[in-house]
Amino acid sequence: MKTLKVAVIGGGSSYTPELVDGFIQRREALPLAELRLVDVPEGREKVEIIAGLTRRMLDRAGMQARVSVHFDRRAALEGVDFVVSQFRVGGLDARALDERIPLKYGALGQETTGAGGFFKALRTIPVILDVCRDMEKVAPGAWLINFTNPAGILTEAVLRHSRVRVLGLCNNPINMTIAAANILGVEPSRVFLQFMGLNHLVWARVYLDGRDVTARVLEAMAPAAGTPANVAALPYDREFLLGMGYMPCPYHRYFYMLPEMLQKEIEAAGGQGTRAEVVKRTEAELFRKYSDPGLDVKPPELAKRGGAHYSEAAVSLIDAIANDRREVHAVNTRNNGALADLPGEAAVEVSALVGAHGAVPLTVGHLPPQLRGLLQHVKAYEELTIAAAVSGDPSLALQALAANPLVPSVAVAKQLWAEMSAAHARYLPQFAGR
Amino acid sequence: MKTLKVAVIGGGSSYTPELVDGFIQRREALPLAELRLVDVPEGREKVEIIAGLTRRMLDRAGMQARVSVHFDRRAALEGVDFVVSQFRVGGLDARALDERIPLKYGALGQETTGAGGFFKALRTIPVILDVCRDMEKVAPGAWLINFTNPAGILTEAVLRHSRVRVLGLCNNPINMTIAAANILGVEPSRVFLQFMGLNHLVWARVYLDGRDVTARVLEAMAPAAGTPANVAALPYDREFLLGMGYMPCPYHRYFYMLPEMLQKEIEAAGGQGTRAEVVKRTEAELFRKYSDPGLDVKPPELAKRGGAHYSEAAVSLIDAIANDRREVHAVNTRNNGALADLPGEAAVEVSALVGAHGAVPLTVGHLPPQLRGLLQHVKAYEELTIAAAVSGDPSLALQALAANPLVPSVAVAKQLWAEMSAAHARYLPQFAGR
Amino acid sequence: MKTLKVAVIGGGSSYTPELVDGFIQRREALPLAELRLVDVPEGREKVEIIAGLTRRMLDRAGMQARVSVHFDRRAALEGVDFVVSQFRVGGLDARALDERIPLKYGALGQETTGAGGFFKALRTIPVILDVCRDMEKVAPGAWLINFTNPAGILTEAVLRHSRVRVLGLCNNPINMTIAAANILGVEPSRVFLQFMGLNHLVWARVYLDGRDVTARVLEAMAPAAGTPANVAALPYDREFLLGMGYMPCPYHRYFYMLPEMLQKEIEAAGGQGTRAEVVKRTEAELFRKYSDPGLDVKPPELAKRGGAHYSEAAVSLIDAIANDRREVHAVNTRNNGALADLPGEAAVEVSALVGAHGAVPLTVGHLPPQLRGLLQHVKAYEELTIAAAVSGDPSLALQALAANPLVPSVAVAKQLWAEMSAAHARYLPQFAGR
Amino acid sequence: MKTLKVAVIGGGSSYTPELVDGFIQRREALPLAELRLVDVPEGREKVEIIAGLTRRMLDRAGMQARVSVHFDRRAALEGVDFVVSQFRVGGLDARALDERIPLKYGALGQETTGAGGFFKALRTIPVILDVCRDMEKVAPGAWLINFTNPAGILTEAVLRHSRVRVLGLCNNPINMTIAAANILGVEPSRVFLQFMGLNHLVWARVYLDGRDVTARVLEAMAPAAGTPANVAALPYDREFLLGMGYMPCPYHRYFYMLPEMLQKEIEAAGGQGTRAEVVKRTEAELFRKYSDPGLDVKPPELAKRGGAHYSEAAVSLIDAIANDRREVHAVNTRNNGALADLPGEAAVEVSALVGAHGAVPLTVGHLPPQLRGLLQHVKAYEELTIAAAVSGDPSLALQALAANPLVPSVAVAKQLWAEMSAAHARYLPQFAGR
C-alpha cells in the first residue's frame, strides 16, 4: 500500500491529538507520510501548538510522517489522499451566540439542532463548498471526511453542489454501539447495530449474535446511561421508548423533551455558561497542556471535551477506504433509496459497506410512522437550509427556520432570523445586501 | 335517473337543515325519494325537531320525499344509495373536554387537530367502522359521504378497515375557492384551485383563466380575510406566506402560530368559553328556532354555526356521483400515488375527478420541502392514530400523541393521555382494561 | 374570449382538411382568426392545394379566418396561440424505408413501433426541438399540440429538452371510447374510459354509468372490431384478453401477435405494398380531389386515410385549453407520478383534466404485472431513443434498438442500424461523422 | 459455536458431494454434527449411493458428523439449523420435456428461463411451500438455503407465502467474480463486484482496489470466456457490451441472442441431445463412480456437471450466518427498495451483508434504461408465475407465459400451455380440473 497524505482543515482544533492518536494506533495499516494542518491565520498560535504536540506524539511512536502547518488552503490540499474537515467558522464565540440568542425567544440554542444548528450551517456551507472547489482542482480523487457540524447537512450540501467524494462522520453511532454492548454485557464486536436516519437523528436496530435485542437495550437505556457530555442526560420515558421500538441517539431528546431540555439550557446559561462557554474554558486548559514540551501523548483531559471515540471513527473509516476493507461503518452519505421514505438525493446516516470504492448504504426500506414523520420533517428542514445557505435568499432562510420542529412558531422564526443574521453577519456574506 | 334514498347518521345535528336546503336547491338533478334521519336514542328530541323542520322545508319546496326518524341504524341503512355521516360521539360535552383539558398542560385544545382531534378520532373510529359493517351488510353499493371530524383520519380508517365506498368531505376547499375568487374579484367558476394535502392541512395552487395567480392571492390573504368562525382569524406573516408559495387553509395557523393560537384559546376559555361551549349556546337557540312550526326554510342564524357552504359541498358531490358528472371536487380519498411524498394507502385531501365510478385524484407529484415535511409528519401521526383507535393499544396511543407536532413533548403526551383517556373512558371501550 | 391564431407545422398534410373541419364544427367556441400553414419548400405544391381547399371550406362556413402559407417557420410562429404539429420528416418515402428494410431481417417494419418507429423518432426529434426553440423565442406562451408520430416519444423529448408547453395527441383513445360505446350499445358520453399507458401502448378501464364494464367490452372485442386502417385487424385470443383485464389499444397486437403481424406485413409488402406505399396512392388521389375548385367540404375519401376522429381529438383539446373547460381528455403529458410504475419525468398517455392551466393527469397508481412489465420495457426503450436522438451517439442507438421488445436480437439490431442509418443518413445529421 | 444440523432436500442429487466437500473445507468454522439427506422414495437408490460416498468423504476428513437418509420429510427437518434445497420435481425427465417441447413451437426450451423455466416453477413452488410448512412446524428458526431453480422465483414464492427465513443462491455471482478476476489478472479477493438484478438476469459493476474497471472487463469478456457448461458460449457483440456498461451474467445471452441460442438448442436436440439428456448420461456415469467403495473424495468428473463453485457459494453462506461474519454475499432476498425500479416485495439477486441476522441488501438505486426495462419485464413475468403456481389459475398461467420476453407470442403461449401442462400434469395438481 502506498503512503498516505492527509490534510486537516481546522488543524488547530483541540480534537487534533485524538486524530493523531488514531493514526498512531493504526500505524501498521496506515503508513502516514504527511499530515498537513490547515487553519486560518487568526488560529496561528493554536495550530502551532497542535503541530508541536503532534510531532512529539509521532516521534514517540517512532513514526516518520512529516507534519506541516498551512494557511494557504489550496496549496495545502495539493495531492492529498484524505481531507479531514473539523473547522468551526466563527469559532466558539459564534457558537456561544447560537446557544444564547435563541433562549431570549424561548427557543432552543444548540450547536447542531434548532436555530443554532441552522446558523452554523449557514456559516459553514459556503466554506466547505470552497474547500470542495479547491479539492476538485488540486486533489480530484481525494476523499473528504467531514466531522464539522451539522455533519449531515454539510454532507448533503457537498453531495448536491460539488463532485468531491465525501463521507460525513459522527461519533454517535460508535458510542451507541458501545452503549448497547455495555447494556448487553458483551464485546462491541458481538453486537450489530443497523443505523438508519439522519445525523443527530439516527436510530438503530440492535442484534446480538443475530437475534434482535433492541427491546432489551431500550428497557435498560431509559435511565439515560451513556449520554455524551454536550447533551443533558435527561432520562427517557420507559413506556415511550419501548413503544418507539428503535434505539434513539442522545440528540433525540431535543425533539422528545423540548421543554425540559430548554429548561436545562436556560439553567446552564445562567450558571456555568452555555456549552460553548464551558468548552472555551476546557480548551484554554487543554492548550496549556498541549504546549508542554514534555507532553508526547494525548492527555486524558481531552476525553472531557466531548469527542469520545472520535479518532476511532475517523481513522478506522480512512483505513476501510485506504485498504479496501469492505466492512460496515455508519456514515453520512447519499441515500439513493436506502431509506425509502426520504428523497434519493438526501444525505442520510446509515450503516454502509465501506471500501476503496466508497460507501454503499445497507438497505433499510420503509420506517414505521413513529420514526418516519419526524425524520421526514427534519430532512425537509435540512433541504431548505442548504437551499438558503447556497442561494443567500432570506425568504428561504425563513422557510427553513419555520420548518424546523424545534422552532416554536413563524413569529419566533422571524425574530431569530432578525437578531441572529445580524449577529453573524460577518460570516454570512451570501445574505449581504439582500 | 332513479330516485335517491339518503340516510343521515347524526340526523339530529343542527347542520341537517343545511343539507336539506342543498337537496332543495338541486331537486331537479337529485330526485330525493327518502331521507332517513338516524340518531342515538339520547338525541330523540333534537332529531324529531329536525325531522319536523325538514318536512316543512320539503313541503314548501313541493318535494314528495319521505322523511323518517330511526334509532335502529342497521334497519335504517337498508337499501340506501348514500349515507351522510355527521355524528358526534359524546356530543358537544366531549368536545368541550377535548378543548379544555389540554389547556391545563399548555397544549392546544381543538376539535380536529392536536390532542383534542386525537381523542375525537379515538372515540369516532370504532363507531364509523360499525356504520361500515352495517353498510357492507345492508347497503353494499352505497356511498359513505363523511363529514364527521377529523374527516381525513376517519376516511383513512374506513379505507383501511372496510370495503365501503367512502369520500371524506370538508367545506375548507369550497371556502378557499370563494376566498380566492373574492380576492381576485371574479366569479368562483373562473378560478381553478388544485388542492393537495390532508384534511385541515390542505394547500392549493390558484389559477385564473389558466394563469397561476397564487402569489397574488397570498399577497392579499395575509391579513386573514375569510377565516371560518371556529378558527381565530390571526393574520399571516406576509413574507412567510409568500415564501411558502401555496395557499394554506385556515387551520394551518395551528401549526405556524401555535403559541398565539393557544393564547387565543386560553383567553376564550376564560371568557366566552371554548368553541364547544359557544356552540352549545348557539345550538340551543337554533333548536328553539327549528321548533317553530312556522319555520319552513333554513334560518339565517345557521350561518353562524360555522358550516358555510357545507350543503353545497355535500349535495354537489352527491350530484356528481349520482349523475356521473365527471367533474372536479376536493375530497378525502385514497392517495394512490397522487401525492408522491405520502404512502399510497393514505387518505389525502385533493382535487379529484368525481363521477359514478367514484373519485380519481388529480396527480400532484412531489411537493416542495416547506410543505412536504409538515405534511409527512402529520400523516405519520394520523396513521398512528388509526392504529391506536383500531387496536386499543395505549402504547400506540402514546406514540401517536407524541408524534403530533402540536403536542409539546412526550411528558405532556403522557399527561394528556392519562387525564383525557379517563375523562372519555365511556367512549373509548377499545382501551378498557388495557 | 380573444380570437385564436393557429399554426400548423406540416400544413401540407392530407390531414389538414380534417383539422379545418374540426374548427368549422366548433366555430362558436373557437373564434379562429388566423390559420398559418407551415411547410418545407419541397412541399409547396401540396400546401398551396391545402390552403386553397381550406379557404373554400372556411368561406362556405361563413368564417373570416385568414389562411396563409409559410416556409419561414420562425416568422410563421410569431405570436400564435397554438402550434399543431403533424409534419413527417422525409415524407412517405422515408416511411416506406422504415417499413420495408426491417422485413429483410425478419423484423417488424411499422411507422411508430419497432425499428421503423425508432428511426422515425431519430429523424423527427431534432426537428421538433427546433420548432420548440422557435416557439420559445417568438411564441413563448403558446401550446404545442403534437400529432407527429411516435407521439409519446416526441412529447417526452420536448418535455425533457425544452420549456415549451406541449401535449401529445393520438386518435386511439377517442376511437377506443367509440368502440367501447358501440359494444355497449350506448352513446359515447355515457361511458368513461380511464386511459393509462404510453402512446400506441395504452390501456383503458371502461365504466358505464359508473360500473366497471371492462370485462364485458373485452368479451365483445376479441374478434377485432374497430381496428384502424393501418393496423392489421387480427382477432385477439379471447381467453388472453379476458385474463389481461384491461382494454388494449389496436397497436398492442404488435406486441402480442408479433409473428402474425409480421407475416401480414410481409404479405402486404409483396402485394399491395407497405402501408406507406398504399397511403402514397391514396394521397395522390386525395390531392387530386383537394385541387378541385368546386370542393369546399372535407371529402369522404379522407376517412380511408386512417385518421378517424383526428379533428375531434385535436380541436376539442384546443377548445378545452382556450376556454378553460377543465374536462377530461386523453393526452400525452408528463407522468409526474400518475403511473407509479414509470419514472416521474416520462411522457405517458393518460386521462387528464385539461383546462387553460394545462393537463393534470388522473392518478392511476400501480398496474398489475401483466401490463406493467411490457409498459416498463417499452418506456425504457423510449428513454434510450430520446437519449440517442439528442446525443447522436450510435452506441445509445444500439442500446435503444436492442431494448425494443419488437427487435428480435442484438445481432438484428446491429444490422438494422447499419442499413437504416445509412438509408436515412440525410435526415440523421446528428449521427454524421460518428 | 454450537454444532450444526443440516438437512438437504434432494439429498440424492449428484451435486451433494460438492456440498459435502464444502463442509470438509470449512470444518474448522462449521462443526457439522448431522447431515440429513432427504429424498422421495423413487430416489432411494441414488440417495443411498450419495449417503455412502458422503460417509466415506467425511471419514477420510476425520469428521464425526452423522449422515442419515430420510423419506419422511417433516421428521427429517425436526430441529435442523439449515435446510439446503436442491431437489428437482419430476427429475431430469421433466426437464427434458421442458427443453424439447418448446422447440416444436419455435420457442426456447431452457431449465430456468423461457417456457421451460416457467413449468419448472409451476411444478416446484407447491413443493417448496410444503417444505416451508414443515419448517414452520418443526424447525421454525432454521434457514432455507435454496439452490433449486428457478432460484429467484422460488425465493420470492417463499417470501410471499411463508414465514420461513430464506436465501436463494446461485453460483453465477461467484463465477462472475472469478471471471472478472481472471480477466484482470488478480486474486478474486481484490475485486469487488456489486451485483444487481434477478437470478439468471444479474449484472455487476466491477471494482479493482476501489476503481471502477467494468469497462475493462467488458472489453475482455466479449469473446465469451467463462460461460458455464449449460449455456452455449456464444460471443457477445463487443460494441453492444460496452454500451450496456454493466457486466452481464451468462444467461443474458438468452435475451440478447435469442435466435442464435434457439438455433444452438435445436442443433443440440438433434445431435447429442438437450442439456437434460446429456446430463442424464453424465449422471449415470457419476453415480457409477459414486458407488465405488474406494472413492472417498469428490471425483473430478463432477466439475463437468455444471455446478462450479456451488459448494463454495453454499457453505460460505452458511458460515457467514452461523458465525455472524457480516460479510458480503450475492443472494436472492427481499428487495425492500435496494433496486428502486422493482417492487419492494420482489426477490432480487444482490450483494448483501450477511450475518446471523440474515441478509441486508446493499442499496443500488435506479438502474439505467438499458438494464431497467428488461429487468422490470422479467420481474413482472416472475410475479405472474408465482401467482399462477399458487392459485392454480390457468388464466394467470397464460398471462405469465405471454409476459415472458422469450415466448414469441400469445398464440405460442397458448400452444405451450396446452401441450406442456398436459405433459407435466402429474406434477401440476393445483391446475387439475380447472
Side-chain angles (χ1 to χ4, degrees), chain C residues 369, chain D residues 117-126 128-129 150-162 198 345-348 378-393 396-397 399-401 430-431:
Chain D
F118 172 72
F119 278 94
K120 190 169 197 316
L122 293 194
R123 295 194 302 274
T124 313
I125 286 172
I128 203 160
L129 292 179
I153 295 177
L154 265 63
T155 301
E156 185 165 328
V158 171
L159 289 170
R160 286 181 183 268
H161 298 284
S162 90
L198 306 179
E345 57 271 28
V348 292
V378 172
K379 175 46 74 183
Y381 149 75
E382 293 191 356
E383 206 175 308
L384 287 162
T385 299
I386 296 163
V390 168
S391 67
D393 179 347
L396 278 170
Q399 292 299 319
L401 267 172
Q430 73 269 48
F431 291 96

Side-chain angles (χ1 to χ4, degrees), chain C residues 240 244 376-377 383 399 410, chain D residues 240 256 372 376-377 399:
Chain C
F240 171 72
M244 186 162 69
Q376 292 175 321
H377 202 164
E383 208 174 307
Q399 293 299 320
V410 170
Chain D
F240 171 72
Y256 297 134
R372 191 209 313 150
Q376 293 176 321
H377 202 165
Q399 292 299 319

Side-chain angles (χ1 to χ4, degrees), chain D residues 121-142:
Chain D
L122 293 194
R123 295 194 302 274
T124 313
I125 286 172
V127 178
I128 203 160
L129 292 179
D130 271 356
V131 171
C132 290
R133 294 295 95 78
D134 286 347
M135 290 177 66
E136 287 165 1
K137 286 271 168 51
V138 301

Side-chain angles (χ1 to χ4, degrees), chain D residues 62-243:
Chain D
M63 289 170 70
Q64 311 295 332
R66 188 167 172 272
V67 177
S68 52
V69 166
H70 303 258
F71 304 104
D72 175 345
R73 189 178 61 210
R74 180 164 293 190
L77 296 180
E78 183 104 39
V80 296
D81 302 298
F82 289 90
V83 177
V84 176
S85 145
Q86 54 177 33
F87 62 96
R88 185 184 289 284
V89 177
L92 287 165
D93 290 335
R95 176 174 171 184
L97 293 172
D98 286 343
E99 291 171 346
R100 281 216 170 257
I101 298 174
L103 301 181
K104 290 197 216 174
Y105 302 98
L108 192 84
Q110 208 277 335
E111 182 186 14
T112 64
T113 63
F118 172 72
F119 278 94
K120 190 169 197 316
L122 293 194
R123 295 194 302 274
T124 313
I125 286 172
V127 178
I128 203 160
L129 292 179
D130 271 356
V131 171
C132 290
R133 294 295 95 78
D134 286 347
M135 290 177 66
E136 287 165 1
K137 286 271 168 51
V138 301
W143 280 94
L144 174 59
I145 307 296
N146 177 54
F147 268 99
T148 300
N149 273 326
I153 295 177
L154 265 63
T155 301
E156 185 165 328
V158 171
L159 289 170
R160 286 181 183 268
H161 298 284
S162 90
R163 295 185 311 277
V164 162
R165 307 207 288 181
V166 65
L167 291 174
L169 206 48
C170 180
N171 56 356
N172 260 338
I174 208 164
N175 286 332
M176 289 166 72
T177 303
I178 291 166
N182 287 346
I183 284 171
L184 296 164
V186 300
E187 283 298 295
S189 67
R190 274 186 62 200
V191 298
F192 170 54
L193 276 72
Q194 186 176 1
F195 291 96
M196 49 197 80
L198 306 179
N199 180 243
H200 287 195
L201 193 73
V202 72
W203 287 268
R205 294 216 67 77
V206 187
Y207 299 87
L208 173 62
D209 301 333
R211 281 194 322 282
D212 190 323
V213 293
T214 314
R216 217 168 114 195
V217 171
L218 294 177
E219 186 75 56
M221 81 179 280
T227 312
N230 62 328
V231 178
L234 293 176
Y236 269 100
D237 180 76
R238 183 185 160 280
E239 187 192 355
F240 171 72
L241 206 55
L242 286 171

